[in-house]
Amino acid sequence: MPRLERRTVVSILLFPLKNNKPYRVLLFRRSEKVSTYRNKLAPIAGSLEQYDKAPLDAAWRELKEETCLGPQHIELWRRGPGFEFTDEKAVTGKDGKGETVGRIWHVWPFAFRFKKDLVDEHNNVDTSVFQMNWEHVSLEWNKVDDILSGKILDQCVPRLEITLGQVWVDPESLLHQGLEELRLDHTHGARELATMAAKTLMRIVEEDQQNKKPYTPEEIARWWKTIRLQAFHLAFNGRPSMSAAISSAIVTALKDAQSIVDAGGQDVLEGVKQSLAAYVGRRAEIAKRVSQQFSALLHDKFESSTQNEGGEIPIKILTLSSSSTIKAAILHALDAEDSLAIELRILESRPLFEGVSFARTLAKEAEDRRTGKTAGPQVHDRLRIIVSTDASVGILSKDADILIIGADRISEFGDVSNKTGSLPAVLTSKEVTGGSVKVVCISEADKIASPGAAEEHCEEDNEKAEVVGTWKEDESPSWEEMVTVRNVYFEWVPAKYIDYYVCEDGILLREDIKKKSKLVLDLTAKAFSDLQVAEDYQQL
């Protein structure tokens, strides 16, 4: 038996911007100079090095080394759960001479797609920007179906069908529709997107009920594996910047449904669907519990400080962007204590002006209650709202009692990813108030991410048109050449600036956050780790 060496590699597939039939993927012909799989069609690939912080970092590095492509040319589209296989004849000497060395490959698949500037009206990619290194001699487009069906696998590196299968989603499927809904939704927060993802998974099960009838334990096991692979896509490939909440919701839903699958029987699909529906229903209660905990915090920590000889004075709260969780918390606090008054200062939150939308939503709720359209205590005389530009954060911070931020992700160390503008608001308010303002993060616990430093999580840079759309003048050619307009949605607030983390279970300490982060990691491993066995994909 040949000597076996273990290698962890990234495997990077490149796709056109749009999914037009026949669906295509770009492959590279390996040269005679490489040590493995000479003259075979392959993705861009390379080993994970010690200095790579994560597989994605290795993917970007290999792309630059082998093709000179970078973020200005391509964007991350999807990643797969990874898989492992053994090839006992991976490395041989030239002309079949020399020692034969086997490899145990652990493969991390990634899919990237080209950006608009490199794609013409027919979806053809300008390959003149490629500068291939010595590892490849040519490149060519191949049909996705030819790889998945096995038609050209004899020309390809081993297990290419698995690499592709882990990142490819049929553009006509419910899964693809659900992923696009998550990707394009810039209105709802992470909690709503997590619920949307769980509902998509439920619709997929419903569709399978109509199209498939798995009865034997083996058929049920295969079906459940395909469901979990689709769940992986929803968890991590729909909206990566909000994947903490989405993945937590998905793995929790899978954990609940696993017992149904384990029990077996004729109605497994119906049982799984009902389990998912019950989980979606329970999620609706989480926001109420968060609101109750925020009201308790206000009562215990802040209300006594707002009293003077003349009676009650408003609690001054600064916030930004728009969050259904924060909205519910503010209204619940007013409903719970009829003597409470709040002066809410909201930054307008460019470029989409979510802060303005938040103010309008609150004003409409107050008006609907006053006119009887909506039930609930009157709040119009106890809630005063001030909206100002983001640049006015110093002015709005003056004598503020609380700065509320939401969270799209909370790291294991307590760092909070939230709407861009959160960090300047935190730093400025702390400085202006001499440190007296309390920074309160209001969030569901499912925003806590699995272990990993803040910088390991992806940065979401969105369309520049959202920024430049409010500018008046047309820009010159030199502007296009010299100026880069960025539209980053989220930024990190270090844990040292957060005074309170409020979730549905109460006030969390950083030790609590770390424990929850580890729990998320364990649930994720249970949900997806067995998807990494290459042989299992032969049956999917």
Side-chain angles (χ1 to χ4, degrees):
M1 182 175 178
R3 176 165 55 91
L4 293 177
E5 296 178 344
R6 182 173 289 276
R7 289 285 189 277
T8 299
V9 297
V10 292
S11 186
I12 306 136
L13 293 161
L14 295 168
F15 294 87
L17 177 65
K18 298 179 181 178
N19 288 315
N20 296 331
K21 289 184 177 181
Y23 307 127
R24 301 177 299 165
V25 60
L26 192 62
L27 297 179
F28 296 77
R29 181 75 65 179
R30 291 172 66 80
S31 73
E32 285 281 352
K33 300 177 182 179
V34 296
S35 61
T36 60
Y37 312 124
R38 301 183 186 98
N39 301 315
K40 294 290 187 179
L41 289 172
I44 297 298
S47 296
L48 224 68
E49 304 294 350
Q50 290 184 348
Y51 48 78
D52 292 317
K53 294 180 180 178
L56 181 57
D57 294 301
W60 280 113
R61 176 179 53 75
E62 290 292 340
L63 282 163
K64 182 175 179 60
E65 291 175 0
E66 297 186 21
T67 67
C68 292
L69 293 173
Q72 69 273 33
H73 308 115
I74 55 177
E75 61 186 0
L76 177 64
W77 192 20
R78 298 187 186 119
R79 66 184 182 94
F83 65 96
E84 190 169 282
F85 73 97
T86 299
D87 183 353
E88 295 184 356
K89 299 180 180 180
V91 184
T92 59
K94 286 191 175 182
D95 301 322
K97 300 177 181 179
E99 181 187 12
T100 297
V101 180
R103 289 274 170 86
I104 302 172
W105 298 107
H106 190 98
V107 183
W108 291 110
F110 291 93
F112 285 76
R113 61 181 177 183
F114 289 92
K115 290 187 173 180
K116 291 180 181 178
D117 294 343
L118 293 175
V119 181
D120 66 17
E121 66 273 15
H122 302 296
N123 207 30
N124 293 314
V125 175
D126 178 10
T127 56
S128 65
V129 300
F130 287 45
Q131 297 181 32
M132 293 184 296
N133 69 358
W134 57 271
E135 296 180 54
H136 306 101
V137 295
S138 63
L139 54 87
E140 60 185 70
W141 289 102
N142 285 269
K143 294 179 181 178
V144 168
D145 286 345
D146 287 349
I147 299 170
L148 295 179
S149 67
K151 183 177 180 180
I152 63 168
L153 287 184
D154 59 335
Q155 306 175 45
C156 303
V157 295
R159 304 298 197 277
L160 180 59
E161 76 281 10
I162 299 177
T163 300
L164 176 59
Q166 284 204 352
V167 297
W168 177 253
V169 174
D170 183 352
E172 298 179 5
S173 66
L174 277 177
L175 174 59
H176 185 271
Q177 178 184 328
L179 291 172
E180 286 297 284
E181 288 174 353
L182 294 173
R183 183 179 70 87
L184 298 173
D185 191 321
H186 293 170
T187 301
H188 296 100
R191 179 174 64 85
E192 293 95 336
L193 294 186
T195 301
M196 287 168 55
K199 288 181 177 178
T200 294
L201 192 60
M202 187 169 64
R203 289 198 300 271
I204 291 171
V205 174
E206 289 175 339
E207 183 180 59
D208 286 349
Q209 280 185 290
Q210 300 172 7
N211 300 332
K212 302 174 184 177
K213 296 292 184 182
Y215 292 117
T216 69
E218 292 77 14
E219 289 171 329
I220 290 173
R222 288 196 295 271
W223 171 79
W224 184 234
K225 192 175 288 287
T226 63
I227 286 294
R228 287 185 291 120
L229 181 58
Q230 293 178 86
F232 178 91
H233 282 294
L234 289 168
F236 298 106
N237 291 326
R239 195 71 178 278
S241 62
M242 296 187 180
S243 64
I246 298 173
S247 63
S248 181
I250 288 295
V251 299
T252 301
L254 291 176
K255 177 180 70 71
D256 293 347
Q258 183 68 56
S259 60
I260 307 296
V261 176
D262 292 342
Q266 293 294 315
D267 296 322
V268 170
L269 272 68
E270 178 63 25
V272 169
K273 184 185 76 173
Q274 291 180 6
S275 175
L276 293 173
Y279 173 72
V280 170
R282 290 196 301 274
R283 286 188 59 80
E285 298 298 316
I286 295 176
K288 296 179 182 178
R289 291 166 54 196
V290 175
S291 298
Q292 291 167 355
Q293 298 295 346
F294 177 68
S295 294
L297 176 72
L298 281 186
H299 184 271
D300 295 341
K301 304 292 185 180
F302 295 98
E303 285 190 26
S304 61
S305 66
T306 64
Q307 296 179 357
N308 61 15
E309 294 180 358
E312 296 287 339
I313 60 175
I315 295 179
K316 301 177 182 65
I317 298 177
L318 174 64
T319 191
L320 71 159
S321 193
S322 179
S323 163
S324 60
T325 304
I326 294 177
K327 173 197 169 186
I330 294 290
L331 290 174
H332 185 278
L334 290 166
D335 293 346
E337 181 58 63
D338 57 12
S339 63
L340 176 65
I342 293 176
E343 180 179 287
L344 188 62
R345 305 168 179 182
I346 307 176
L347 299 171
E348 63 178 352
S349 310
R350 296 189 180 192
L352 299 182
F353 303 101
E354 297 99 331
V356 179
S357 299
F358 185 33
R360 286 176 175 152
T361 299
L362 287 170
K364 185 177 186 306
E365 175 69 22
E367 179 64 18
D368 287 347
R369 290 187 181 191
R370 181 161 62 175
T371 59
K373 290 182 180 179
T374 301
Q378 300 296 304
V379 297
H380 65 276
D381 56 344
R382 294 184 291 123
L383 176 61
R384 287 292 174 264
I385 301 173
I386 300 172
V387 179
S388 190
T389 62
D390 298 339
S392 303
V393 62
I395 297 172
L396 265 61
S397 295
K398 185 179 179 181
D399 68 10
D401 300 301
I402 304 171
L403 167 59
I404 295 178
I405 62 172
D408 292 290
R409 181 189 296 266
I410 302 174
S411 78
E412 65 170 320
F413 304 110
D415 306 313
V416 174
S417 175
N418 194 48
K419 167 74 178 181
T420 297
S422 297
L423 182 57
V426 168
L427 296 176
T428 302
S429 62
K430 287 285 188 182
E431 175 65 25
V432 169
T433 64
S436 66
V437 69
K438 299 301 180 184
V439 178
V440 178
C441 174
I442 299 180
S443 169
E444 298 82 3
D446 64 10
K447 307 287 183 64
I448 298 172
S450 57
E455 59 268 17
E456 295 178 17
H457 300 296
C458 70
E459 184 180 80
E460 183 175 320
D461 205 343
N462 291 275
E463 291 290 336
K464 67 179 182 181
E466 294 177 347
V467 176
V468 304
T470 57
W471 301 349
K472 301 297 183 182
E473 298 182 7
D474 293 332
E475 309 300 349
S476 67
S478 294
W479 170 279
E480 295 297 332
E481 179 181 348
M482 299 169 60
V483 178
T484 299
V485 178
R486 300 202 64 195
N487 183 20
V488 180
Y489 273 13
F490 307 105
E491 66 181 353
W492 286 96
V493 177
K496 64 182 179 180
Y497 298 117
I498 311 295
D499 296 292
Y500 299 103
Y501 300 88
V502 179
C503 78
E504 64 269 26
D505 299 320
I507 297 175
L508 295 180
L509 302 176
R510 290 179 194 167
E511 292 80 6
D512 301 322
I513 293 173
K514 201 159 192 175
K515 290 178 183 177
K516 171 66 175 176
S517 177
K518 178 62 166 57
L519 178 61
V520 171
L521 179 65
D522 293 342
L523 285 176
T524 303
K526 289 179 181 178
F528 303 125
S529 61
D530 68 331
L531 298 180
Q532 298 184 0
V533 182
E535 287 72 14
D536 290 347
Y537 285 87
Q538 309 305 322
Q539 303 297 326
L540 294 185

